[in-house]
Amino acid sequence: LQNAEQMGEGWSDFFGVLLTIEPGDTGTDSRAVGTYLFGQGQGGAGIRDYPYSTDMGVNPQTYDFIKTAAVPHGVGSVWAEMLWEMTWELIAIHGFDTDFYNGTGGNNISLALVTEGLKLQASQPGFVDGRDAILAADMAMYGGANQCAIWEAFARRGLGYSCLLY
């Protein structure tokens, strides 16, 4: 992961926020990580520049942000935001399932796609490599059923085209 677009911090943040989603949560909620480091409660600002949220007013990060973001934490948080965007796109389509082990909701699909994508991407991946590995994982696992949702989510954060253009 020793490159300008290393995403390691992003994956760890993503798994943390994904596995702590609760019924009633929404993508536009503000989800900070590392609040415990500052003695903050759940509503604290946390350790990243922005909390995770699909609301661009709460988290405006796009692919363009990595030009000036610190490596690894700042760059990683942009990657995690893209994965968070994808997760909520999939939840909007497939629903949320509280069973993280056997569930079939969008959160389960997101977890499976990101995990399989990790296995499919090349060594020292960048953002495009990571996105493309997730798209390949969707083809392998779900027959490409989520291609448009994945493209739309990444496009909103500046990493690709909308589904209508791919």
Side-chain angles (χ1 to χ4, degrees):
L1 298 177
Q2 302 302 316
N3 61 36
E5 289 191 14
Q6 76 85 20
M7 299 140 6
E9 289 292 324
W11 285 307
S12 58
D13 282 6
F14 167 73
F15 286 120
V17 293
L18 175 78
L19 294 171
T20 57
I21 297 174
E22 296 180 346
D25 287 352
T26 68
T28 57
D29 292 345
S30 178
R31 294 290 306 271
V33 297
T35 55
Y36 64 91
L37 290 171
F38 301 118
Q40 300 169 344
Q42 284 185 317
I47 60 174
R48 302 292 182 237
D49 290 340
Y50 300 96
Y52 296 111
S53 175
T54 59
D55 181 340
M56 295 292 279
V58 174
N59 187 321
Q61 292 178 310
T62 64
Y63 187 50
D64 196 48
F65 271 61
I66 69 169
K67 291 177 184 174
T68 58
V71 176
H73 299 95
V75 171
S77 71
V78 175
W79 179 246
E81 180 59 34
M82 290 180 181
L83 298 178
W84 191 241
E85 192 80 42
M86 180 189 75
T87 297
W88 285 98
E89 184 76 21
L90 293 168
I91 289 172
I93 296 166
H94 301 285
F96 173 76
D97 197 321
T98 58
D99 184 347
F100 282 102
Y101 298 102
N102 302 303
T104 59
N107 53 313
N108 304 94
I109 293 168
S110 180
L111 179 60
L113 291 175
V114 171
T115 302
E116 290 302 311
L118 282 164
K119 299 173 190 178
L120 294 172
Q121 64 194 10
S123 177
Q124 298 183 336
F127 280 43
V128 171
D129 300 317
R131 181 206 60 206
D132 290 353
I134 289 169
L135 288 161
D138 181 58
M139 290 299 292
M141 298 173 70
Y142 302 104
N146 301 295
Q147 296 287 291
C148 279
I150 295 165
W151 275 111
E152 292 292 335
F154 279 100
R156 271 196 299 283
R157 294 296 172 160
L159 191 64
Y161 302 98
S162 71
C163 185
L164 298 175
L165 298 176
Y166 89 95

